[in-house]
Amino acid sequence: MITLSNTRPPVFVPWDIDVARINFGANCGPSSFAAITGREVCRIMRYFLHFERCQWTNLTQMRHAFSEAGYVTNVRKCELPVRGVALMQWLGPWTKKKFFSHWSLIHTHWIAVHNGWVFDHTAGQWQSFREWQRQTATKYISEIPQATGWAVKYGVDVSQSSSAWFGF
């Protein structure tokens, strides 16, 4: 369980989520990546070249995007990261037998996580984890037929590589 420390939410919120959605089909994956790296969504789409073929991001593609951008990742199964992104699994009949099956991937959603704060592109702001649970996740679950809840599929801790150069 996540507990919120006495920290303030991160300041950066990508302003160009709608622009990137219209121009590139960007969704939760690129938006979460942008939020946790402090970059605009349109500027990070170069790390999501698979969007030319399909507009969803699996764990391998997300880790590749971070690697290409000069970040180091550490994957945790079924656990939120301290600072990074998490692939949330909407629960339902598709997860009863095999939680990690290919079929369950169509009911997943990326969020950014930073010290107990969550950025979900549909909310457009950083929320406390509890607020995200009560408002944003509950709304998703209510809109997915047969959905019964949510769980963390993968947490990806993200840190900057000491050898990377970023031309900010």
Side-chain angles (χ1 to χ4, degrees):
M1 172 153 76
I2 280 285
T3 56
L4 187 60
S5 65
N6 291 331
T7 63
R8 293 181 181 190
V11 175
F12 181 78
V13 172
W15 66 269
D16 63 339
I17 292 172
D18 289 333
V19 173
R21 183 179 304 123
I22 291 166
N23 289 311
F24 303 106
N27 53 26
C28 60
S31 297
S32 297
F33 180 102
I36 204 65
T37 60
R39 299 179 184 187
E40 296 166 336
V41 184
C42 290
R43 293 195 184 267
I44 60 88
M45 287 307 295
R46 67 180 179 223
Y47 305 120
F48 292 84
L49 297 178
H50 63 274
F51 265 67
E52 293 174 8
R53 296 181 317 280
C54 63
Q55 294 181 336
W56 53 270
T57 303
N58 65 30
L59 177 63
T60 302
Q61 292 160 332
M62 183 62 83
R63 290 188 74 199
H64 180 74
F66 278 116
S67 177
E68 287 293 307
Y71 291 86
V72 176
T73 59
N74 181 40
V75 176
R76 304 168 182 240
K77 242 181 185 180
C78 303
E79 187 180 334
L80 285 172
V82 174
R83 183 190 177 281
V85 294
L87 185 59
M88 308 307 284
Q89 176 69 65
W90 305 121
L91 303 175
W94 48 88
T95 57
K96 287 199 182 200
K97 291 187 180 179
K98 292 185 179 178
F99 184 75
F100 289 97
S101 76
H102 176 72
W103 298 107
S104 66
L105 288 175
I106 63 170
H107 295 292
T108 57
H109 181 66
W110 287 102
I111 59 173
V113 181
H114 190 278
N115 291 331
W117 294 93
V118 172
F119 180 83
D120 188 312
H121 79 110
T122 61
Q125 65 183 1
W126 287 93
Q127 302 172 294
S128 71
F129 185 73
R130 280 193 190 154
E131 188 178 17
W132 178 83
Q133 271 182 288
R134 282 183 291 183
Q135 296 174 8
T136 310
T138 300
K139 184 176 185 290
Y140 267 109
I141 293 164
S142 72
E143 294 174 355
I144 301 169
Q146 299 182 321
T148 57
W150 62 270
V152 179
K153 193 172 193 103
Y154 296 107
V156 182
D157 281 303
V158 175
S159 58
Q160 224 168 339
S161 170
S162 60
S163 63
W165 177 80
F166 303 96
F168 290 114

